Structures are given as structure tokens and as C-alpha cells.
Amino acid sequence: MKKTLLLLGISAITATSAFVSCIEEDELTFTPNITGYIIESGTDSTRCYTPFFSVTSSIEDFKISSTSIVHESDQVNLTMVQFSEYAWYSSGDVSFTTINSLNGTYDFVARTANGQTYSVSQTLKFEESDTIGEIDCSEFYFNADNKTVTATISAQKENAILGFTVTPYEPDAAPVRMSACYFYLNSYTNNDDGTITIKLPLNTNNLRYANTRLRVCVCVMNSAGMYRESDYHTIKVDVNSQDMELID
């Protein structure tokens, strides 16, 4: 039986969830968490839309052996990548050039190593008004003394949620979206020229990683599940001293 599941939201997608414990074995049910958003990119005249979804298990007994996500309307099968024994994510190799192409039913299937299967379908409907538009970031500044990122961007739509995306990684490996941490801000400064200034103190303890690079960008999301990023910047972290330096 197909169930309805809200897939698109504004909560942060975490790489792993806390395992459920102290549950009797006969009470365990494989019900993975499925979350995601639509990455909007390109210029306002040539937009591109890329679905990003993650499938994670929060129960230690249920390691995920495989996942699949199929966009029914076009029979497009999103390529899934294993992040860990408990998490998979879509690779981002499938994109659409019009927002209407996103619409339709997505079928999600996840299988465990011990043979259990979970399936769910979700029908998505986007309209042109759901788009975010280009982010004009006129200033990006990092204060190494107080470890605070400051950015000034163009004014956004009323339903926009503003913040920063911080992705920790090692310099000999590429950043992975599944590792990203999302910081949405409750307050920001409206400037006289119509721009908006937002700030984020960086605390590596909150990132739960000991990585030596942070990829940082401004992010904008809305209630429809559309997500936009500004250009990336790289901050180098000294693992021992926790000192930081903007290097790109």
C-alpha cells in the first residue's frame, strides 16, 4: 500500500540519525526517513532544477542495502549513492530545465540487508511562483578573530528563508552534499539600499566533524521546497588550534 509522506521541507538533512534503542525486536519496523529539496540553479532566463533526496535509517538493526527513486511521469530513475550503511542520497545527475518537468509522482523504495522493503509515493506540484531566482551576493566576509561569516545579498521574496550552508570535508576529497549542515537565521539586517545582511558565527564543535576544510555559501529556501545557493567560499581549519582562515 502506498502511503503519503512529506518529502520537501526546510529542516536540515543530517548524514546519520541517532539510533533507536531499548525497543523489543518484534516492535521494530523498517520506516526510513526520506527528506529532500529541489536545487534551483542557473540564471533567471535559463534555470535548472535538480532533485536532491536522502534516505536514512534510524534503527541500528536496519542497514540499508539499496534504494531507488523513480520520477513516474518521465520514467526518470535518479542515481542513488551510498553514504554509509544507514544512508543513501541522490547523486544530482538528473536535472530538469523547466519547473513543470518536476511535477508528477516519485516512487521511493528502500531495502534492508535482511530483506525488508519500504516503499512510498509522493506527487509533487510546482508552479512558476515557487522559484527563488538568482542570489546576488555583493559581499562575503569572514572575520577570523571572532569566526563570523557576514554576507550581503539582494532582497528576497517574502516567503524566503535565509541562511548559510556549511559542508565540512578533507582537502583530498570532494565536498559531499549529504554532509552539509544548514543554518537558517531568525533575524537579519535590512539595509537602506534594499539589500540584506546576514551573519553566522562558525563553531566547529557544532559541526561534529574534525575536517580541515569548510565549504560555505549563502542559501535560500522556501516553503515549496526550492533551494538556492550563492557561490562557494572555502575556509581552512587548523584541527589543533581551531583557528580559521578564508582561502577562497
Side-chain angles (χ1 to χ4, degrees):
M1 180 177 67
K2 294 182 178 179
K3 301 179 181 179
T4 299
L5 178 69
L6 180 62
L7 299 171
L8 300 176
I10 60 174
S11 60
I13 297 177
T14 56
T16 56
S17 303
F19 289 135
V20 175
S21 59
C22 300
I23 299 178
E24 295 298 328
E25 186 172 351
D26 58 1
E27 295 178 348
L28 295 178
T29 302
F30 178 53
T31 308
N33 302 310
I34 306 175
T35 56
Y37 50 75
I38 303 299
I39 304 168
E40 179 187 317
S41 58
T43 65
D44 287 343
S45 59
T46 57
R47 292 195 188 104
C48 184
Y49 305 94
T50 305
F52 173 76
F53 296 107
S54 69
V55 182
T56 60
S57 173
S58 59
I59 299 179
E60 188 173 11
D61 294 53
F62 296 138
K63 297 178 180 179
I64 302 177
S65 61
S66 66
T67 59
S68 66
I69 300 177
V70 178
H71 182 210
E72 247 183 8
S73 60
D74 294 315
Q75 288 299 304
V76 176
N77 193 345
L78 303 185
T79 302
M80 299 299 292
V81 178
Q82 186 174 18
F83 183 74
S84 72
E85 292 180 318
Y86 301 92
W88 291 68
Y89 65 94
S90 55
S91 67
D93 63 339
V94 174
S95 298
F96 300 91
T97 56
T98 65
I99 195 168
N100 291 335
S101 299
L102 291 167
N103 296 336
T105 300
Y106 293 74
D107 292 331
F108 298 78
V109 178
R111 297 176 178 84
T112 67
N114 59 6
Q116 294 199 42
T117 299
Y118 177 85
S119 62
V120 67
S121 295
Q122 175 73 33
T123 300
L124 303 181
K125 175 65 175 177
F126 291 96
E127 300 178 357
E128 187 63 31
S129 59
D130 294 326
T131 59
I132 293 174
E134 296 180 69
I135 302 174
D136 180 10
C137 185
S138 58
E139 179 186 67
F140 186 96
Y141 173 73
F142 177 66
N143 187 320
D145 293 331
N146 59 20
K147 301 178 182 178
T148 298
V149 175
T150 302
T152 299
I153 63 174
S154 54
Q156 301 296 310
K157 296 179 180 179
E158 290 186 0
N159 66 340
I161 301 168
L162 313 180
F164 292 90
T165 301
V166 180
T167 307
Y169 68 101
E170 294 294 347
D172 57 350
V176 178
R177 184 173 295 275
M178 191 68 184
S179 299
C181 300
Y182 304 84
F183 299 91
Y184 294 108
L185 308 178
N186 294 322
S187 61
Y188 48 84
T189 302
N190 289 298
N191 303 316
D192 292 338
D193 61 359
T195 60
I196 297 171
T197 298
I198 56 178
K199 296 183 179 182
L200 174 69
L202 285 178
N203 184 343
T204 53
N205 293 330
N206 293 337
L207 296 174
R208 300 171 288 111
Y209 290 88
N211 304 73
T212 58
R213 296 289 187 276
L214 301 176
R215 189 178 72 172
V216 183
C217 66
V218 174
C219 67
V220 178
M221 183 173 273
N222 60 28
S223 57
M226 284 286 171
Y227 171 90
R228 265 265 190 181
E229 295 176 341
S230 69
D231 292 337
Y232 301 132
H233 298 270
T234 304
I235 294 175
K236 180 181 178 181
V237 181
D238 185 308
V239 175
N240 295 319
S241 66
Q242 294 299 293
D243 289 339
M244 301 183 188
E245 175 188 3
L246 181 67
I247 60 175
D248 182 19

